[in-house]
Amino acid sequence: MASHPRRVGDCQDYAAWRRLTIRLITELHQLVAGPVIVPMTVLTPAYAAEVFEPLSELGTLFHHVVLHAGPGSLSIFSVASPG
């Protein structure tokens, strides 16, 4: 897919990703009737609004947590992660 003409740098750049994320979180929340943990940080303010506002309107309680780590910590994580 690297040569695809509509390729983007981050999956969050796809509008479909943002729509499907809202749907998945909402459906899982209804299914489990409890917390749903989504290991994804949304740093682009417009994308965050696009995902978080509908979740709020649907009554889905959520917390967006961002990990701030120094370059050394990120290098260790990168080396330790498979792939």
Side-chain angles (χ1 to χ4, degrees), residues 45-63:
Y47 295 172
E50 193 175 333
V51 173
F52 302 157
E53 288 172 11
L55 290 173
S56 291
E57 291 168 6
L58 292 166
T60 305
L61 176 65
F62 65 91
H63 303 281

Side-chain angles (χ1 to χ4, degrees), residues 2-57:
S3 63
H4 192 281
R6 296 181 80 187
R7 180 178 184 264
V8 298
D10 188 313
C11 66
Q12 294 181 10
D13 292 332
Y14 290 107
W17 178 89
R18 298 186 300 275
R19 287 191 308 271
L20 292 170
T21 297
I22 296 163
R23 184 171 177 176
L24 177 64
I25 292 169
T26 302
E27 289 190 26
L28 286 173
H29 186 257
Q30 292 170 350
L31 178 67
V32 300
V36 176
I37 298 172
V38 181
M40 179 66 69
T41 299
V42 183
L43 297 177
T44 305
Y47 295 172
E50 193 175 333
V51 173
F52 302 157
E53 288 172 11
L55 290 173
S56 291
E57 291 168 6

Side-chain angles (χ1 to χ4, degrees), residues 67-76:
L67 170 65
H68 291 279
S73 299
L74 295 176
S75 296
I76 292 169

